[in-house]
Amino acid sequence: MGSAYEVDFLAGVETDVIDLDGRVVLPGFVDAHTHMESTGQYVVHADLSAADSVDDAVETLREDAPDDREWLQGFGWDESDWPEGRYLRKGDLDRVSDERPVVAYRVDMHTATLNSVGLDRLREALPEDDVEFEDGDPTGVVVEDAVGVVREAVGDDVAETRDLVTAARDRALELGVTCVHEKVRDSYAPRVYRELDRAGELDLRVRIDYWSDHLDAVLETGLRTNYGGGLVDVGGIKSFTDGSFGGRTAKVTEPYAGADPADRDDDGRGQWVVDPDDFSELVERVDDAGLQMVTHAIGDEAVDLVVECYAATDDPGAARHRIEHVELFDDEHAERMADAGMVASCQPNFLQWAGEGGLYDQRLGETRRRRSNRYRDLLDAGVPLAFGSDSMPLGPLAGVHHAVHAPDERQRLTVTEALRAYTLGGAYAGFDEDRLGTVEEGKRADLVVLERSPWEDDHEIRDIDVAATVVDGDVVYDTLDGTNT
Ligand SMILES: [Zn+2]
């Protein structure tokens, strides 16, 4: 950066010169919401995200689930486009194995299906409210806390965590992601990131948001938001309020489409995952401790709760308290977020479910589907906007593509706006805007080189290949073959 005349003096024995031959250089992508172990699980275990039917998912599990672990595991099924239009069930997974435990997690990770062996093994430990029954028989489908019980039972040790994290790291670098804001709970990942960093093998910036379960430990060990300054940083405290649209557990003010209020104890309007009073106390405690708050809120009633609790803190803008997802909200929420400086951390890849007949349509109906994920309205209101993937899956250019081609104009961004949310927007959410997020003098050299310009033919954005990724001045991924180096 700077004048070509000055830069020319740098060419010499200590400088590598790489001719990019007209390719496009952008700031490295900041993915503001990741679960890297989950990304790694797709690489290491059976990836069910491309399965287009129940049979296809069963077949993929049979073929791709590695045999050297106790449980056979698959990740990422999504029934919303399947001809059967239903969840995977116990009987489907019994076709994968009737001797070994099998689990297949839905794409949102709030729902999972067990086979009969898996279900029998965990039956005692599963909270009954989160186990689905039909005619008195469990269907194999479990949600929310029961999914947590399954994950704990399957269990990852340090070596497995390292396998998952390094597989995810490699995937991130291939996609041009140079920094992730990583949400962790009861995991060896923070230890593994620091071990990799110490060994000089991390090659990726990781900002760790610790689950609220760890708040006492964070305070006892004296961790502070933004402590770090190298590759590994301390982020904030992550909490939930509601669930997801997929599981009909996001908290909405109007009932779900086709909901029969008599069916459930929640009036068909979703459920709190964290009790609102407990959440309110948590925000106060986190804010008083000088830590950043990072809260999952999807439905409009959940967004309302978070805005209310954040607004009650001293200076939510200075603390950069964040709302993750913000999928359904009112204009008033956007205004209050903008006025107070609360950060919206959104996932434009979710727009893939916002088309006609898609998941948002099925769960919320036409009007609310079109009002979901309104990035245009957030930006116009002046809300700081950060983009991420929620590891569903990683892919900044896919996210940019969806934001640029969103079904409704209230959701749609220009190429530049979408790229900015995926670079500088994420940097801002992590207090890193003076160090990351743009290509300019004085900032760290986190860069991505694209084979083609996303501005030239915007219909192809998601198909553009990454030619190289640079983190902190080191080329950590490239397909340049050395021919023009
Ligand atoms: Zn998440």
Side-chain angles (χ1 to χ4, degrees), residues 432-484:
D432 267 331
E433 73 276 14
D434 292 333
R435 182 170 83 118
L436 314 174
T438 54
V439 182
E440 64 185 299
E441 266 184 287
K443 287 201 175 179
R444 309 305 302 174
D446 289 3
L447 310 166
V448 56
V449 182
L450 302 182
E451 288 288 353
R452 287 180 291 123
S453 165
W455 287 275
E456 262 165 33
D457 180 355
D458 65 10
H459 287 275
E460 303 296 329
I461 294 171
R462 64 177 153 198
D463 300 326
I464 296 175
D465 287 324
V466 170
T469 304
V470 179
V471 174
D472 216 37
D474 289 326
V475 179
V476 288
Y477 168 82
D478 82 279
T479 56
L480 297 168
D481 290 339
T483 47
N484 42 13

Side-chain angles (χ1 to χ4, degrees), residues 33 35 325 390:
H33 191 126
H35 303 270
H325 313 308
D390 208 1

Side-chain angles (χ1 to χ4, degrees), residues 383-406:
V383 178
L385 178 66
F387 272 169
S389 66
D390 208 1
S391 288
M392 293 172 62
L394 293 185
L397 288 170
V400 168
H401 185 100
H402 282 294
V404 170
H405 300 290

Side-chain angles (χ1 to χ4, degrees), residues 351-366:
L351 288 171
Q352 67 187 287
W353 299 296
E356 217 182 312
L359 180 75
Y360 287 94
D361 228 1
Q362 296 169 29
R363 296 291 190 269
L364 302 172
E366 160 91 17

Side-chain angles (χ1 to χ4, degrees), residues 237-255:
I237 299 296
K238 168 86 192 317
S239 181
F240 269 106
T241 50
D242 60 350
S244 71
F245 288 137
R248 295 180 196 270
T249 48
K251 200 83 180 98
V252 285
T253 50
E254 298 295 324

